[in-house]
Amino acid sequence: MQTTEPTIRRGGAELIPYVRELWNLLFDHHVETGAAGLEVVPRDQSWPLREAHYAALIAAQPRASIWLASHGDDILGYALSVVSDFEGQSAVVLETLSVDPATRGMGVGSLLMDAVDREAAAEDIEVGIVDVMAGNPRARALYLRRGYSAWSETWMRSEPVIGSRPRNEIGLLGLAATAEALGLQLKVSSGPDDTWVSADSIVDLSITGDALARETLGASDDPRPEQLDRMLADLSDAGFWTIRFELPTEPSAAWLRAQLQERGFRISTERLVRR
């Protein structure tokens, strides 16, 4: 039986090889909890994608840190944190937290988060951010106990379209203008995702105005559903079949939330913020 507290080691890219199995265990946990109802990639494809993501993140982010919890030769868990901008303030983003299921309940996750928080405090960073997968109430409850609060939801639809045209990057200019007219900001992120089946390029949409966020009055001539359908169809025609919407947490954007659900979107992650 373990009688001493785990050792916490901080490092960078050199620690990536040590976290492979812990990532695989986290992937298994996501699948066991339903993976938010979205189709997942084969297990053997997940780690190479996550490994490449970590390497790129650390190369681009000099303040990225991997925190490794171990006891002797046994690796018990790890966290990866980065410093990012959030509404004009520096924030520590807890990118990943994974603990060996055999050690859950022993405080390993709390020790890793304590280490991340101490580094943030040393840099006078007061804002913390973490994204938790939908359908994982145990993880969500842990973060809420640590002082995080609900901030936003990401809704995702990833449906390959048979016979769709090759991705048209030039057409994005017009699509971005269409999104802007709907009160949305359109960006493209590199894919594929390391958990869910997705395209090589993922469209991210977020609300910038109230054209879609405000409640509908139930008017039969409300143009917004048709405008939304047209934009989604245009994205699909342009070869972009993985789309994510970031929405404010309830009760904001209730109308758009209902519209997305009708169109096959599911909540993939929830963003929690601590100030």
Side-chain angles (χ1 to χ4, degrees):
M1 180 177 178
Q2 180 180 311
T3 57
T4 58
E5 189 171 279
T7 299
I8 305 296
R9 176 185 174 190
R10 176 182 178 274
E14 75 282 0
L15 296 184
I16 292 177
Y18 293 91
V19 306
R20 173 177 181 167
E21 187 52 35
L22 284 164
W23 169 259
N24 286 333
L25 291 172
L26 182 60
F27 177 87
D28 292 341
H29 179 63
H30 288 160
V31 173
E32 289 168 5
T33 58
L38 295 160
E39 185 179 358
V40 299
V41 300
R43 188 179 192 267
D44 61 356
Q45 293 180 17
S46 181
W47 170 248
L49 292 167
R50 174 57 52 157
E51 181 181 30
H53 171 66
Y54 283 166
L57 192 62
I58 292 173
Q61 276 267 14
R63 296 162 80 185
S65 301
I66 293 178
W67 307 84
L68 209 61
S70 59
H71 189 262
D73 293 332
D74 298 325
I75 299 174
L76 310 179
Y78 81 99
L80 189 146
S81 63
V82 299
V83 177
S84 182
D85 178 76
F86 178 75
E87 296 191 332
Q89 300 181 51
S90 291
V92 170
V93 180
L94 186 59
E95 174 79 12
T96 310
L97 177 67
S98 177
V99 174
D100 189 327
T103 68
R104 283 185 186 144
M106 298 170 59
V108 176
S110 293
L111 287 172
L112 287 164
M113 287 189 285
D114 288 343
V116 173
D117 288 347
R118 280 195 299 271
E119 183 184 52
E123 296 188 39
D124 295 322
I125 299 175
E126 298 180 352
V127 181
I129 298 173
V130 63
D131 291 334
V132 61
M133 182 176 288
N136 193 351
R138 181 173 178 174
R140 187 179 190 275
L142 170 65
Y143 296 126
L144 294 180
R145 290 197 298 271
R146 301 279 301 194
Y148 290 85
S149 300
W151 178 264
S152 66
E153 301 167 351
T154 294
W155 288 66
M156 181 176 175
R157 188 178 76 181
S158 190
E159 299 176 350
V161 179
I162 298 175
S164 63
R165 295 197 298 265
R167 194 170 62 248
N168 182 358
E169 303 287 352
I170 297 176
L172 271 180
L173 294 175
L175 291 169
T178 300
E180 185 177 0
L182 277 169
L184 297 168
Q185 182 181 46
L186 185 152
K187 294 182 178 179
V188 176
S189 301
S190 297
D193 189 87
D194 50 44
T195 299
W196 294 299
V197 172
S198 66
D200 291 340
S201 293
I202 300 171
V203 170
D204 287 305
L205 294 159
S206 57
I207 294 176
T208 58
D210 68 348
L212 283 171
R214 66 177 183 269
E215 296 292 339
T216 180
L217 298 177
S220 60
D221 59 348
D222 188 340
R224 291 176 295 165
E226 183 179 343
Q227 292 168 346
L228 181 61
D229 283 334
R230 187 181 307 120
M231 183 186 68
L232 294 175
D234 288 344
L235 284 168
S236 179
D237 288 344
F240 296 93
W241 50 269
T242 300
I243 304 170
R244 296 184 297 215
F245 270 86
E246 184 180 5
L247 309 180
T249 300
E250 294 271 23
S252 302
W255 181 88
L256 180 53
R257 185 176 288 104
Q259 294 295 314
L260 293 178
Q261 193 167 12
E262 287 180 9
R263 288 156 177 78
F265 285 80
R266 292 180 176 271
I267 302 177
S268 57
T269 57
E270 182 181 14
R271 171 155 291 189
L272 308 177
V273 175
R274 183 180 63 192
R275 294 177 180 271

